[in-house]
C-alpha cells in the first residue's frame, strides 16, 4: 500500500478515535441539563470525565496535525472553506476547557451556574457541527480548479449535512448516557439507563436515515458492510443497556460510532474532499498529499509515538475506572 493511502487510513483512525472518546465527553456535557437534577449530580457527571476529557482532545490535535503534514492541500481547503464552523468549534472547546477548570473556583451559585451553562452549550454545539462538517466533506463542496473553496457558509447548511449534525448529536448523547450509567452509582445510574433507552430509538431512526442516504448516494459493498455493523451494534447497545450490561452497551455504542465514521471515510476514498463543481477538481489522496519523503518520516515517528500515547491513555482510564455517586461529592462549596 502506498504511503498516501496509509496516511488516509491513519487519519481516519485518528478521527474515529476522537469521536469515540470525545463523543461521550460531549454527551456528558449535554446530560448536565437533561439528566442531572441538582448541583451535586452535575458535579458527579462532570467528575466522570474530569480525569480524561483533556486527554481525549489530544486525538483532535493529532488528527488535525496529521492532516496538515500528510495532506496540506486538504488541510488548507478544509480549514479555509469551513472557517466559520471550525472557528466556532475551536471557541467552544476553549470555553469548555475553561469551564471545567473554573466552575469550582468560587462558591457563588451564579458563578457555578453560568459555567455549567457554558459546559452544556459548548458540548452541544460541537456535537452538531462536527456532523455538519463531515456531512459536507462526504457530500462534496464547491472547490474550483485551484483547489480553493468558492462556496458560502449557507451552502454548508444543506439538508444532508444538517441531518448529519442531528445524528452526531443524538449518537454522542446516547453514548454519554451509557457512559454515565457505566461510571455512576445510585439513582443517577438508574436514570441514565432509562434516558439511554429513550434516546436509543431516536438515534436509530436518525442514524439509519443518514447512513442509508449516504449509501444510496456514494456507497459500495464495503461501506454497506460498515453501515450494517453500525446499525446492528447500535441495536445491540440498546439491548445491552436494557439488560443492565453497561460495559457491553458502552463498547457497542463505541463500535457504532467507529463503524459509522468508517463508512463515511470508505465512501470518501480515494477523494479527501470531493468537488461539487467538477469531479476533476476534487482533492484526492494523490493530488493533496505531501512528498513521499515527508510521509516516510511521519510514518517512522508515528510508529514510535503512537504506542506510548495509547499506553498512557489506557493507564489513565484504568486508574480512574471506579464508579462515583453523590455520596462521593463533598458538601463544601469548593
Amino acid at each position: 500500500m502506498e504511503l498516501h493511502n496509509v496516511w488516509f487510513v491513519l487519519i481516519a483512525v485518528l478521527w474515529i478515535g476522537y469521536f469515540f472518546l470525545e463523543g461521550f465527553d460531549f454527551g456528558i456535557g449535554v446530560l448536565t441539563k437533561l439528566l442531572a437534577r441538582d448541583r451535586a449530580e452535575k458535579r458527579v457527571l462532570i467528575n466522570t470525565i474530569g480525569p480524561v476529557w483533556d486527554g481525549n482532545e489530544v486525538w483532535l490535535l493529532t488528527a488535525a496535525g496529521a492532516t496538515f503534514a500528510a495532506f496540506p492541500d486538504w488541510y488548507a481547503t478544509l480549514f479555509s472553506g469551513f472557517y466559520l464552523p471550525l472557528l466556532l468549534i475551536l471557541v467552544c472547546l476553549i470555553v469548555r476547557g475553561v469551564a471545567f477548570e473554573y466552575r469550582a473556583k468560587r462558591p457563588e451559585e451564579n458563578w457555578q451556574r453560568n459555567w455549567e451553562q457554558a459546559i452544556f452549550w459548548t458540548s452541544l454545539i460541537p456535537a452538531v457541527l462536527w456532523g455538519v462538517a463531515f456531512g459536507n466533506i462526504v457530500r462534496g463542496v464547491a472547490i474550483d480548479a485551484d483547489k480553493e473553496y468558492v462556496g458560502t457558509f449557507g451552502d454548508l447548511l444543506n439538508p444532508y449535512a444538517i441531518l448529519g449534525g442531528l445524528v452526531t448529536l443524538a449518537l454522542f448523547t446516547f453514548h454519554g448516557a451509557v457512559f454515565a450509567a457505566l461510571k455512576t452509582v445510585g439513582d443517577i445510574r438508574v436514570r441514565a439507563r432509562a434516558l439511554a433507552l429513550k434516546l436509543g430509538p431516536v438515534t436509530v431512526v436518525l442514524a439509519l436515515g443518514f447512513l442509508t442516504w449516504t449509501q444510496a448516494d456514494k456507497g459500495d459493498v464495503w461501506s454497506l458492510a460498515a453501515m450494517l455493523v453500525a446499525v446492528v451494534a447500535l441495536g445491540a447497545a440498546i439491548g445491552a443497556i436494557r439488560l443492565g450490561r453497561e460495559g457491553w452497551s458502552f463498547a457497542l455504542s463505541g463500535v457504532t460510532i467507529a463503524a459509522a465514521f468508517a463508512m463515511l471515510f470508505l465512501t470518501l476514498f480515494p477523494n479527501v474532499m470531493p468537488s461539487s463543481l467538477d469531479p476533476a477538481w476534487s482533492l484526492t489522496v494523490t493530488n493533496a498529499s505531501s512528498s513521499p519523503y515527508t510521509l516516510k518520516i511521519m510514518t517512522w515517528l508515528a510508529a514510535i509515538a503512537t504506542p506510548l500515547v495509547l499506553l498512557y491513555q489506557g493507564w489513565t482510564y484504568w486508574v480512574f475506572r471506579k464508579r462515583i455517586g453523590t455520596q462521593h461529592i463533598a458538601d463544601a462549596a469548593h
Side-chain angles (χ1 to χ4, degrees):
M1 183 184 292
E2 297 185 19
L3 284 179
H4 53 251
N5 293 335
V6 170
W7 274 97
F8 179 85
V9 173
L10 291 177
I11 288 171
V13 170
L14 289 171
W15 281 110
I16 289 170
Y18 171 68
F19 289 125
F20 175 87
L21 297 171
E22 192 79 333
F24 68 76
D25 270 9
F26 289 143
I28 291 293
V30 173
L31 292 176
T32 56
K33 267 194 178 299
L34 301 183
L35 181 61
R37 290 178 174 175
D38 53 35
R39 180 137 296 121
E41 291 191 349
K42 289 182 179 180
R43 290 179 65 186
V44 169
L45 290 176
I46 293 172
N47 286 354
T48 62
I49 60 173
V52 297
W53 68 267
D54 48 355
N56 294 344
E57 290 187 357
V58 170
W59 287 75
L60 171 61
L61 300 176
T62 308
T67 304
F68 171 77
F71 299 99
D73 288 336
W74 183 14
Y75 180 92
T77 304
L78 175 64
F79 281 79
S80 60
F82 292 19
Y83 180 81
L84 286 178
L86 292 179
L87 177 62
L88 183 55
I89 289 173
L90 178 61
V91 171
C92 284
L93 294 180
I94 292 171
V95 173
R96 186 167 173 266
V98 173
F100 283 135
E101 298 295 335
Y102 274 46
R103 178 192 168 277
K105 296 297 184 183
R106 290 170 55 178
E108 292 87 347
E109 184 175 344
N110 285 340
W111 171 272
Q112 296 189 1
R113 184 185 299 114
N114 289 338
W115 286 120
E116 288 163 0
Q117 289 281 356
I119 290 172
F120 170 76
W121 288 109
T122 57
S123 299
L124 185 146
I125 293 171
V128 174
L129 290 181
W130 279 127
V132 172
F134 271 82
N136 278 292
I137 292 172
V138 172
R139 174 179 177 267
V141 292
I143 299 174
D144 64 12
D146 296 322
K147 301 179 182 179
E148 295 181 0
Y149 177 72
V150 293
T152 65
F153 176 72
D155 294 336
L156 302 178
L157 302 178
N158 54 80
Y160 176 78
I162 291 174
L163 178 58
L166 294 177
V167 169
T168 50
L169 175 61
L171 191 54
F172 292 166
T173 306
F174 173 78
H175 196 41
V178 173
F179 182 76
L182 177 64
K183 288 290 292 180
T184 58
V185 295
D187 184 55
I188 192 170
R189 176 189 177 190
V190 174
R191 284 186 282 111
R193 286 167 53 184
L195 181 59
L197 288 173
K198 293 178 181 178
L199 290 171
V202 177
T203 306
V204 169
V205 171
L206 290 172
L208 188 59
F210 179 73
L211 296 180
T212 301
W213 190 345
T214 304
Q215 178 65 26
D217 190 35
K218 296 179 177 293
D220 57 17
V221 64
W222 294 106
S223 61
L224 177 61
M227 172 184 167
L228 293 176
V229 170
V231 173
V232 171
L234 182 55
I238 297 171
I241 197 68
R242 188 181 300 277
L243 296 174
R245 303 298 297 271
E246 293 101 340
W248 280 104
S249 183
F250 178 72
L252 288 165
S253 66
V255 170
T256 302
I257 293 174
F261 279 95
M263 178 189 178
L264 297 185
F265 279 100
L266 285 168
T267 58
L268 192 59
F269 185 81
N271 294 319
V272 292
M273 281 192 76
S275 172
S276 59
L277 302 179
D278 187 336
W281 297 343
S282 298
L283 299 181
T284 69
V285 294
T286 303
N287 66 22
S289 70
S290 293
S291 67
Y293 181 74
T294 300
L295 297 178
K296 184 177 180 180
I297 296 298
M298 290 176 59
T299 303
W300 279 107
L301 292 174
I304 296 170
T306 302
L308 297 176
V309 173
L310 293 175
L311 285 172
Y312 173 78
Q313 194 163 25
W315 176 78
T316 303
Y317 276 92
W318 175 256
V319 170
F320 295 100
R321 66 189 182 277
K322 293 184 179 180
R323 296 176 183 266
I324 61 173
T326 52
Q327 67 270 30
H328 301 112
I329 301 298
D331 293 332
H334 290 285

